[in-house]
């Protein structure tokens, strides 16, 4: 194994109370409101698109049937994002543990995206990945550093693509000025969290000061009852991350391959609207048009990144419906196009996560049965 590792622990009190009934009710109400917002946006776009005089569902189906191969391209783009993430996890696990664990890497990538897309602000992916890796043969240090390193590369490469999009620019007729301004702010928010984590992983003294300040505030708020313990655990986590992030990022090979795979992930995701438009014969295929539409997609993703709903639901649906409505003229194609794009860019990750979870549980039960028969 390359480098020493130490088990990391959560920065929580062992005697922390279970979530109160009030918190559970709040969570249920928030979830219900999110679902209602999503359903309202979908219903509004559907009614708006299918209520015109020239609605022709048969024509919409005919377009999709004539250009069915673009559905395969969209499926390929979705698959390439998962494979790129899985390979990135594989090489990071290989670098930190010396072991070949592609199955673990694939499962970690797939379920990480699943938890990203079912939690507000995509906050559930990395905690789950840390937990999953630590329970499947990866020691605590690398288990914490690998998801953080992967997240940083994803967000850094997205930020680079966004900056290129900002520099080249888009017409205010396509992306209104207020959305462009929100996109600038959203891109800053998007990169700031990962920069915070990585910077303090390589500047542990500064990280220790931030931990001490944060615990002091939490203690005054009576949230933290054992400040010394919290500070010790926080400092230990930062020191472990520094050591294991160093193992990952000091390898030029891992850094270069991981960066390239992260570019593949982001460009594949942001290319989906272009191929969705091709599905309906809305545009003529060309590299310049692909660049234009993909650039607009980066703008929109930046603008909706501050929306707290899972997968930016509601904002994503409505914004991309507006984008498609500028190009798709046949009634019914805007809503259909938006939903097809949403299936491949959002719901497919959730479906894959559910399938992987089911397979894991079935495999676990089969193994348990086989071991009981021995």
């Amino acid at each position: 194994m390359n480098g020493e590792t130490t088990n990391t622990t959560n920065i929580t009190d062992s005697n922390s109370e279970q979530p109160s009934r009030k918190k559970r009710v709040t969570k249920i109400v928030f979830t219900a409101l999110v679902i209602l917002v999503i359903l309202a946006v979908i219903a509004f776009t559907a009614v708006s698109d299918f209520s015109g005089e020239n609605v022709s569902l048969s024509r919409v189906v005919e377009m999709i049937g004539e250009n069915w191969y673009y559905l395969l391209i969209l499926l390929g783009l979705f698959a390439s994002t998962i494979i790129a993430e899985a390979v990135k996890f594989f090489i990071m696990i290989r670098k930190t543990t010396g072991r070949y664990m592609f199955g673990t890497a694939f499962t970690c990538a797939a379920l990480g995206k699943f938890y990203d897309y079912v939690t507000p602000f995509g906050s559930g992916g990395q905690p789950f990945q840390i937990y999953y890796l630590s329970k499947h043969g990866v020691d605590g240090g690398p288990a914490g550093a690998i998801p953080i390193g992967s997240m940083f590369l994803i967000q850094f490469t997205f930020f680079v693509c966004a900056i290129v999009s900002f520099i080249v620019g888009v017409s205010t007729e396509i992306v209104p000025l207020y959305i462009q301004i929100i996109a600038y702010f959203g891109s800053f928010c998007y990169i700031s969290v990962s920069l915070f984590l990585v910077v303090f992983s390589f500047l542990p003294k500064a990280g220790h000061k931030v931990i001490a300040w944060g615990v002091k505030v939490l203690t005054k708020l009576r949230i933290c009852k054992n400040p010394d313990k919290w500070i010790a655990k926080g400092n230990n986590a930062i020191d472990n991350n520094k050591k294991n992030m160093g193992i990952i990022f000091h390898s030029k090979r891992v850094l270069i391959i991981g960066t390239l795979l992260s570019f593949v992930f982001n460009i594949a995701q942001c290319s989906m609207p272009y191929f969705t438009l091709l599905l309906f014969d809305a545009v003529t295929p060309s590299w310049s048009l692909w660049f234009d539409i993909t650039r607009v997609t980066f703008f929109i993703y930046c603008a909706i990144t501050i929306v707290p709903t899972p997968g930016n639901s509601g904002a994503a649906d409505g914004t991309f419906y507006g984008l498609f409505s500028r190009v798709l003229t046949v009634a019914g194609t805007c809503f259909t196009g938006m939903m097809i794009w949403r299936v491949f860019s959002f719901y497919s990750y959730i479906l894959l996560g559910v399938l992987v979870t089911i397979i894991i549980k079935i495999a676990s039960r089969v193994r348990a049965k086989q071991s009981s028969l021995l």
Side-chain angles (χ1 to χ4, degrees), residues 30-38 41 115-123 304-317 342 346:
F30 175 78
T31 303
L33 288 174
V34 168
I35 293 173
L36 286 174
V37 169
I38 296 170
V41 172
Y115 282 101
D116 270 344
Y117 287 144
V118 296
T119 53
F121 286 117
S123 57
I304 64 177
T305 191
I306 57 177
V307 177
T309 57
N312 310 120
S313 296
D317 308 72
R342 200 65 173 143
F346 177 65

Side-chain angles (χ1 to χ4, degrees), residues 276-294:
T276 303
L277 293 175
L278 290 178
L279 184 65
F280 296 99
D281 287 327
V283 294
T284 303
S286 71
W287 284 108
S288 61
L289 187 60
W290 167 83
F291 181 63
D292 290 340
I293 296 174
T294 302

